Amino acid sequence: MEDYIEQDEYRSQIASLNNEIRYLREKIRQKEHIDKFNAFDNPTEYKGFSGNYAKIQPLIEHEGYEIPLEPKYEERRSLKRFYSAGGWCIILQFAVSTGMAKGLVGLILSILKFMNPDANVFVIQDYMKSSSIFVSLNMLVYLVCNVLFAFIGMKWAGIKPRSIISTKNFSFGLAVQYCMTALFLWVVAIYGASGISDIFEQYGYSTVTDYSNVGKTTLGIVIMNIYTCIIAPITEELFFRGMLLKVFSKANQRFAIFATALFFGLAHGNIPQFILAFALGIMLAVITMKHSSIIPAITVHMFINTFSSMFGYIGNAGETAQQVAIIILLALAVFGLIMFLVFFGDNHIPSTTPKQATRGIYVAVSSISLVTAFFIQLIYMVYLIFKKY
């Protein structure tokens, strides 16, 4: 009888151990199964923003697969295709917008010359710049090109437009915090760029694009403000943070943040705006990833462009108005500094794991189109700085 009871206890213990073994095996199996939306197990990244990495490396869905330190040929080729797609979109956006702008300007110049055969060509050009013609063409060209190539890039990368609009955890309070943080960056960039401009001017070069004679009519001013404060923020965020940030962040969000900020800065074509756009581009990328939407970035971009335009008009209203504007600006900058510290206390730029490091810039520089896009925009910005001299 006692032997029977002891055997019963042994069977019970063995069953319990078997259950424990099955449980541990299941835990190990789950641990070995890679999360395809956080393939590199990086807790500092914004989960879900980069998309499904199984589309780049299908093997991660296989049980027991471990991502190697360096990407193999197939994975590297898939990643490179995304970087190349981004590069081609940048190149085509630049080439088509530049060609389209020059073509339309030339066409209208020819029409005006035909209608006024005795008029001097340079007089007609000045008229086009000072009227609403030039700013209207500029708005049309960049509206079409930014939207067109943003949607082409998203279509190629399989990004649903609705996914970049649907916003999570965004509130009015956060909008104020982000706008004031951006304002602080704007003030720092303005003073930093001013110092750099002074150095260039000592050698006879200008780092600022002259828009003083552009759109001086009432209609021209209205169109320029509509473009600067509404159209540009929407279309630029659609292109840079809606499409490009998504395309570049497939394996390395940190690389994507700095790469898009760099191209965003270069697209502005001069040093002062490059400094602001690069700094602001980093912040806009972070809040886009955090909220998984371009809506917060559009909000901030609209605020900065509107504030910058208003500050410019006040500065031209007279010395007294300019002094008052500077006092108000400095007061807002102090508040912006506080918001800046709060922002980077609550938010972060993702770090990079060793495996992600070999899939970021190291793969990106092997993309001929992406490298070409960088040098095209860099050379064009240098050309704009030195073209008058």
Side-chain angles (χ1 to χ4, degrees), residues 189-339:
I190 289 296
Y191 282 100
S194 177
I196 294 173
S197 296
D198 289 342
I199 295 173
F200 272 79
E201 286 172 3
Q202 289 179 7
Y203 295 93
Y205 301 105
S206 175
T207 61
V208 181
T209 304
D210 184 15
Y211 293 111
S212 59
N213 294 322
V214 176
K216 302 307 293 183
T217 64
T218 302
L219 181 59
I221 292 171
V222 170
I223 293 174
M224 179 175 284
N225 283 309
I226 290 173
Y227 173 70
T228 301
C229 303
I230 301 174
I231 302 298
I234 294 174
T235 60
E236 287 177 4
E237 291 310 314
L238 185 65
F239 183 83
F240 287 99
R241 257 66 61 177
M243 181 275 294
L244 209 59
L245 186 66
K246 278 273 191 180
V247 170
F248 285 169
S249 66
K250 293 302 176 183
N252 190 330
Q253 289 183 6
R254 187 182 183 88
F255 165 76
I257 288 172
F258 285 100
T260 51
L262 177 63
F263 282 109
F264 184 51
L266 289 173
H268 284 76
N270 59 72
I271 292 177
Q273 286 185 298
F274 171 83
I275 294 172
L276 172 61
F278 179 76
L280 192 62
I282 293 172
M283 177 196 167
L284 295 177
V286 169
I287 63 176
T288 298
M289 288 182 172
K290 177 181 178 179
H291 299 286
S292 195
S293 168
I294 62 172
I295 298 299
I298 289 174
T299 303
V300 174
H301 200 154
M302 282 184 172
F303 170 79
I304 285 297
N305 282 16
T306 303
F307 184 90
S308 178
S309 296
M310 290 177 60
F311 189 79
Y313 289 128
I314 294 172
N316 293 327
E319 187 176 344
T320 302
Q322 188 176 27
Q323 290 175 350
V324 172
I326 290 175
I327 293 172
I328 295 173
L329 177 64
L330 292 176
L332 290 173
V334 172
F335 181 60
L337 172 59
I338 297 171
M339 293 296 99

Side-chain angles (χ1 to χ4, degrees), residues 94-198:
F94 174 83
V96 174
S97 62
T98 303
M100 188 175 171
K102 290 185 181 298
L104 288 174
V105 168
L107 176 62
I108 293 178
L109 180 63
S110 299
I111 293 172
L112 292 175
K113 179 64 178 174
F114 177 77
M115 294 173 63
N116 302 275
D118 296 330
N120 186 283
V121 173
F122 295 107
V123 173
I124 296 176
Q125 288 178 338
D126 289 339
Y127 166 74
M128 289 176 63
K129 287 183 179 180
S130 61
S131 68
S132 61
I133 295 175
F134 186 82
V135 293
S136 298
L137 292 177
N138 186 71
M139 180 175 70
L140 174 64
V141 166
Y142 285 101
L143 170 62
V144 170
C145 291
N146 284 340
V147 173
L148 174 64
F149 291 107
F151 277 99
I152 288 175
M154 285 191 286
K155 179 69 175 178
W156 187 93
I159 301 168
K160 295 180 179 179
R162 185 174 59 183
S163 69
I164 65 171
I165 300 299
S166 181
T167 311
K168 60 182 182 182
N169 304 323
F170 185 54
S171 64
F172 177 77
L174 285 176
V176 172
Q177 180 194 111
Y178 296 160
C179 288
M180 289 299 101
T181 300
L183 178 62
F184 172 73
L185 292 175
W186 182 79
V187 172
V188 172
I190 289 296
Y191 282 100
S194 177
I196 294 173
S197 296
D198 289 342

Side-chain angles (χ1 to χ4, degrees), residues 52-122:
N52 183 357
Y53 199 72
K55 293 182 178 180
I56 293 174
Q57 177 52 286
L59 292 176
I60 67 171
E61 294 189 301
H62 294 189
E63 185 176 333
Y65 176 78
E66 183 178 350
I67 297 177
L69 179 62
E70 296 185 0
K72 304 299 182 184
Y73 174 75
E74 289 297 331
E75 183 186 359
R76 185 182 181 88
R77 187 177 68 172
S78 295
L79 270 177
K80 185 178 174 181
R81 286 174 61 201
F82 277 90
Y83 293 135
S84 296
W88 277 117
C89 285
I90 295 168
I91 291 171
L92 291 172
Q93 189 272 354
F94 174 83
V96 174
S97 62
T98 303
M100 188 175 171
K102 290 185 181 298
L104 288 174
V105 168
L107 176 62
I108 293 178
L109 180 63
S110 299
I111 293 172
L112 292 175
K113 179 64 178 174
F114 177 77
M115 294 173 63
N116 302 275
D118 296 330
N120 186 283
V121 173
F122 295 107

